[in-house]
Structure formats: structure tokens, C-alpha cells
């Protein structure tokens, strides 16, 4: 089986490690990865640059996307059609949403040029309009075309699959497949003597961290809290008012990525207290498996895909009930048996995101049609 995987970024070592594992699967004869040479990352508000890579198990090739100064996930202007003609893949796996313009481009090329490849996608989006008529007329036409030409895909959460089903997609070969996340940390790193809870990510209201801080006075006095991440400019005053004169809390604006996981590995518990808004809710939460790989017990809210990813109801709290979060933290701090039970669970659960596991699930989807 020859696989062409289209991915909008390829500049992370962890991602390259996944490509290498996938390409090494015995079911795959050859794996090529296509990424844009550069493009504007609208989420992080910066231009992202990729690089070519050639390894025994895969080759990463660069193309060009239309309007790359606007968005990195736009359709390809150069590289894609040439690769399809020369490589002749059996499967084209677009690592982006089912209703993306790149999936549409791949489907149109198959129709126009008579290619024989199967088309698969990988998505995260769990907030869609529930009816086809809610989209513009041009988008409706595109969705109808994609529905007829899609062979299957993977979704990082179950909500996204249900959304596609309500929009008329055949979901029989659309499976929940977690995002591949595998972190290696030295076993010699010791936990801090103080029981330490951490939050890692954007420090903003919608992430729930402010609500946690409003209840922090009910936290066991022996628990230390580390907050790591950038505070949104318009929320700095509120944030610093919430943590001032509290010696339980330490704010760390930024930790270099190369040492981030070694730092987190010293802590005991990670919280992911996100809240659902009208336009956003957690689609996966990459930080959850990252916390698990660093031997942190991860507690999350009921928002979006967090429950899916954590997988243990005793580590989930209602997103509108932060007192429940405090209760779980206090129990983990004071009940050694409960703590050890949940740590053992985390060490098993994190294997669900391993490169080998996710690669096998991709192969199963490719072979199912």
C-alpha cells in the first residue's frame, strides 16, 4: 500500500517520529508526506516554515499553497498534482477536516484525472451547523461532492463524527482515532516533595483557569499550584489580581519547549479545566496525553472531547462545578491509595496515544473500504 499523507505542518520532531512509525508499518510499502513550504498560522499569528526530510520509512516533500500569507491550510498551487501523477498513491490521507478545501481539491483531482486512490481525512472540529441548509449554497455543493467521494477517516472525538452523520455523511468508516502523542522523559526525574498541581496552556477565561483560581482558597493548604503559559493581554489585570499574595501559586510565563516536559514531570497532577463557549470547546487537548506521559494524573472538565481523552469519570468534573475539581484535587493529595490507583491508570491509558497504536488504527481504516 502506497500512502500520500497531506499535512499542514511538519516542523515538529514528535510529528516526524510519528511519520517514521507509520511508514515502518509492514502494511505500507511507501509513505510520502506533502506539506507547504511555508504559510501563515492564523491561530498562532505567525508564519510557519517546513523542511524536506528523507528517512528510510518516509519522505517529506514540500509544495506551495494558494494565498500562503493568509492561511497555511489552503489548497495546493504547486506540488500536489505532480506528486499524484508520479507517485500514484493507493491512499491519500488528508490530515485535516472532512469539509476542508484540501479534501475537496483531492476529490476533484481524482474525478478530473481519473486517479484510483482512496480519500481519507483526519478531523478535530466538534462545532458545526447541524443542517446542510445552514451553510452557504457554494459550501452545500462542496459538501455534497465530498460526501460522495470520501472513503473514510479518523476523528479525534466522537462529537465530530456525530456532526458529520447529521450532515448526511456515511460514517461507517469514520472512526474515533486519537491524536498521536508520545513523550519520552527520563525515568530518573523525581517528583517535588510538595504535592504540586499544574496548568499548562493559554491563560484565559475560556480555558477555565480563572474559575479555578476563584475557588483556590478551598484547596488543601499543602498543595502547590504552577501555572505555565501566556496570559491574554486583555486579561492580565484580572489574572494577577486572582493570584496576588497567594504563596500557594507560582506563575511561570514560559518554559522552553525542549525542557517543558522535564519540568512538568516533577509535578503530580495536571488540570485541564476548559469551558464550552458558543464558538469553541476542546476538540482533543494535546496537553492531556502530554501530562500522562510525564506521570501526571490528569483531571479535566466535561467540556468537548476531554472526557473522551481522559477516559475515567473519576477524573472528570462538571465544567460548571469547580468545587468538584477542588474535591478531586484534595482527595488525590490526602488519599495515597486513590492517588496510586489513578497513577497506575494513567500509565496504561497513555498507550492509547502511542505512535504504534495510532498507526495501526490508520491502517485498519485504510483497509476497511
Amino acid at each position: 500500500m502506497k500512502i500520500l499523507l497531506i499535512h499542514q505542518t511538519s516542523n515538529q520532531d514528535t510529528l516526524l517520529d510519528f511519520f517514521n512509525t507509520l511508514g515502518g508499518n509492514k502494511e505500507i510499502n511507501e509513505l510520502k508526506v506533502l506539506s507547504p513550504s511555508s504559510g501563515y498560522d492564523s491561530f498562532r499569528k505567525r508564519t510557519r516554515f517546513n523542511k524536506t526530510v528523507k528517512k528510510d520509512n518516509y519522505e517529506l516533500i514540500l509544495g506551495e499553497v494558494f494565498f500562503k500569507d493568509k492561511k497555511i491550510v489552503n489548497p495546493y498551487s504547486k506540488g500536489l498534482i505532480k506528486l499524484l501523477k508520479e507517485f500514484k498513491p493507493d491512499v491519500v490521507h488528508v490530515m485535516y477536516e472532512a469539509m476542508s478545501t484540501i479534501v475537496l481539491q483531492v476529490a476533484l483531482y481524482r474525478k478530473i484525472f481519473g486517479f484510483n486512490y482512496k480519500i481519507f481525512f483526519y478531523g478535530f472540529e466538534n462545532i458545526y451547523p447541524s443542517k446542510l441548509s445552514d451553510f452557504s449554497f457554494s459550501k452545500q455543493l462542496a459538501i455534497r461532492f465530498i460526501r460522495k467521494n470520501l472513503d473514510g477517516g479518523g476523528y479525534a472525538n466522537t462529537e465530530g463524527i456525530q456532526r458529520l452523520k447529521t450532515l448526511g455523511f456515511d460514517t461507517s468508516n469514520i472512526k474515533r482515532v486519537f491524536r498521536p502523542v508520545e513523550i519520552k522523559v527520563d525515568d530518573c526525574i523525581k517528583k517535588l516533595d510538595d504535592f504540586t498541581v499544574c496548568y499548562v496552556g493559554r491563560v484565559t477565561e475560556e480555558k477555565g483557569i480563572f474559575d479555578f483560581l476563584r475557588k483556590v482558597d478551598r484547596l488543601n493548604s499543602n498543595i502547590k499550584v504552577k501555572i505555565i503559559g501566556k496570559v491574554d493581554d486583555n486579561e492580565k489585570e484580572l489574572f494577577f489580581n486572582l493570584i496576588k499574595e497567594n504563596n500557594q501559586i507560582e506563575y511561570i510565563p514560559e518554559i522552553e519547549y525542549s525542557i517543558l516536559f522535564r519540568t512538568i514531570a516533577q509535578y503530580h497532577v495536571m488540570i485541564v479545566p476548559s469551558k464550552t463557549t458558543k464558538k469553541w470547546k476542546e476538540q482533543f487537548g494535546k496537553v492531556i496525553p502530554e501530562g500522562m506521559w510525564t506521570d501526571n494524573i490528569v483531571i479535566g472538565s466535561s467540556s468537548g472531547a476531554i472526557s473522551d481523552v481522559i477516559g475515567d469519570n473519576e477524573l472528570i468534573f462538571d465544567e460548571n462545578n469547580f468545587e468538584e475539581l477542588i474535591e478531586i484535587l484534595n482527595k488525590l493529595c490526602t488519599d495515597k491509595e486513590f492517588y496510586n490507583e489513578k497513577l497506575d491508570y494513567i500509565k496504561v491509558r497513555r498507550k492509547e496515544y502511542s505512535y504504534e497504536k495510532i498507526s495501526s488504527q490508520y491502517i485498519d481504516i485504510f483497509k476497511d473500504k
Side-chain angles (χ1 to χ4, degrees):
M1 187 163 33
K2 296 169 66 176
I3 309 292
L4 171 61
L5 193 152
I6 301 175
H7 200 286
Q8 67 267 30
T9 183
S10 58
N11 57 357
Q12 299 173 4
D13 288 340
T14 53
L15 193 58
L16 299 180
D17 288 342
F18 171 66
F19 295 157
N20 193 57
T21 302
L22 179 63
N25 189 290
K26 63 182 181 179
E27 300 284 350
I28 295 182
N29 298 325
E30 194 172 357
L31 171 66
K32 290 187 185 293
V33 181
L34 175 66
S35 290
S37 61
S38 65
Y40 185 68
D41 185 336
S42 55
F43 180 74
R44 294 173 179 83
K45 298 180 181 179
R46 61 179 173 81
T47 298
R48 183 187 289 169
F49 297 92
N50 294 318
K51 58 185 179 182
T52 58
V53 179
K54 190 167 185 178
K55 300 286 186 179
D56 290 339
N57 291 340
Y58 74 96
E59 181 180 6
L60 194 152
I61 299 166
L62 299 182
E64 300 290 334
V65 295
F66 290 103
F67 309 112
K68 63 181 181 180
D69 58 329
K70 302 291 184 183
K71 203 173 182 182
I72 199 168
V73 295
N74 282 334
Y76 280 81
S77 58
K78 293 181 181 178
L80 176 57
I81 187 65
K82 181 175 183 289
L83 194 52
L84 291 173
K85 288 181 176 179
E86 294 179 356
F87 181 48
K88 297 181 174 60
D90 302 302
V91 167
V92 176
H93 189 193
V94 181
M95 297 291 285
Y96 209 63
E97 303 296 331
M99 295 188 288
S100 67
T101 52
I102 300 179
V103 170
L104 176 62
Q105 183 181 31
V106 169
L108 284 169
Y109 281 177
R110 185 172 71 174
K111 187 78 171 177
I112 293 169
F113 296 102
F115 293 125
N116 293 319
Y117 53 74
K118 297 176 184 177
I119 302 171
F120 298 88
F121 77 99
Y122 186 73
F124 292 87
E125 183 58 64
N126 53 358
I127 298 181
Y128 280 133
S130 58
K131 296 180 295 185
L132 192 62
S133 58
D134 293 332
F135 292 89
S136 66
F137 180 69
S138 59
K139 188 71 173 179
Q140 289 180 44
L141 291 177
I143 291 171
R144 288 191 176 99
F145 183 77
I146 292 170
R147 283 190 320 199
K148 292 179 180 178
N149 288 277
L150 196 63
D151 293 290
Y155 235 105
N157 56 72
T158 53
E159 289 178 320
I161 298 174
Q162 186 57 43
R163 284 294 189 185
L164 289 187
K165 189 173 184 178
T166 62
L167 291 171
F169 281 78
D170 177 5
T171 58
S172 61
N173 194 32
I174 299 177
K175 314 294 185 184
R176 189 193 70 178
V177 180
F178 287 132
R179 182 177 182 174
V181 181
E182 191 172 328
I183 305 296
K184 302 296 184 185
V185 179
D186 294 340
D187 293 333
C188 62
I189 296 176
K190 295 182 179 180
K191 298 292 183 182
L192 297 176
D193 291 335
D194 291 324
F195 190 89
T196 306
V197 172
C198 70
Y199 168 84
V200 181
R202 287 191 305 120
V203 183
T204 182
E205 188 76 56
E206 70 182 12
K207 287 289 189 174
I209 187 62
F210 290 5
D211 283 305
F212 167 70
L213 292 173
R214 293 183 183 106
K215 300 288 185 182
V216 80
D217 60 324
R218 304 186 186 192
L219 198 63
N220 187 301
S221 60
N222 293 320
I223 298 177
K224 301 299 182 184
V225 178
K226 308 282 188 182
I227 299 174
I228 304 169
K230 183 180 178 182
V231 185
D232 286 4
D233 289 341
N234 62 339
E235 295 178 299
K236 282 184 176 179
E237 183 178 356
L238 172 58
F239 172 70
F240 286 109
N241 282 334
L242 286 169
I243 67 170
K244 70 180 180 181
E245 298 178 4
N246 190 324
N247 59 12
Q248 276 186 275
I249 302 171
E250 180 186 1
Y251 171 56
I252 305 171
E254 190 174 4
I255 295 179
E256 188 179 336
Y257 192 78
S258 61
I259 63 170
L260 175 63
F261 300 118
R262 288 180 55 84
T263 303
I264 297 171
Q266 300 174 81
Y267 308 149
H268 299 81
V269 178
M270 176 183 287
I271 60 171
V272 186
S274 300
K275 299 194 300 182
T276 300
T277 71
K278 289 182 179 180
K279 295 183 178 180
W280 178 88
K281 56 183 171 181
E282 286 288 2
Q283 300 172 329
F284 176 74
K286 181 170 176 272
V287 73
I288 295 173
E290 288 174 343
M292 291 180 176
W293 284 109
T294 53
D295 286 343
N296 275 261
I297 296 170
V298 184
I299 304 171
S301 74
S302 57
S303 176
I306 293 175
S307 299
D308 267 5
V309 181
I310 293 178
D312 183 338
N313 288 335
E314 289 189 306
L315 298 175
I316 302 296
F317 70 95
D318 187 298
E319 65 177 293
N320 299 308
N321 186 355
F322 280 78
E323 290 184 1
E324 190 179 354
L325 169 59
I326 299 294
E327 289 173 5
I328 299 171
L329 289 172
N330 286 340
K331 185 175 182 181
L332 286 167
C333 177
T334 58
D335 188 335
K336 191 67 174 177
E337 184 178 346
F338 182 64
Y339 174 84
N340 287 333
E341 174 192 329
K342 294 308 172 187
L343 184 58
D344 288 342
Y345 167 79
I346 289 297
K347 289 180 178 181
V348 174
R349 180 65 177 180
R350 65 193 183 192
K351 295 175 184 177
E352 293 294 312
Y353 322 107
S354 71
Y355 299 150
E356 288 286 353
K357 177 84 172 184
I358 305 304
S359 295
S360 295
Q361 290 176 331
Y362 280 174
I363 299 300
D364 288 344
I365 293 172
F366 298 157
K367 292 171 63 178
D368 198 39
K369 262 300 188 183

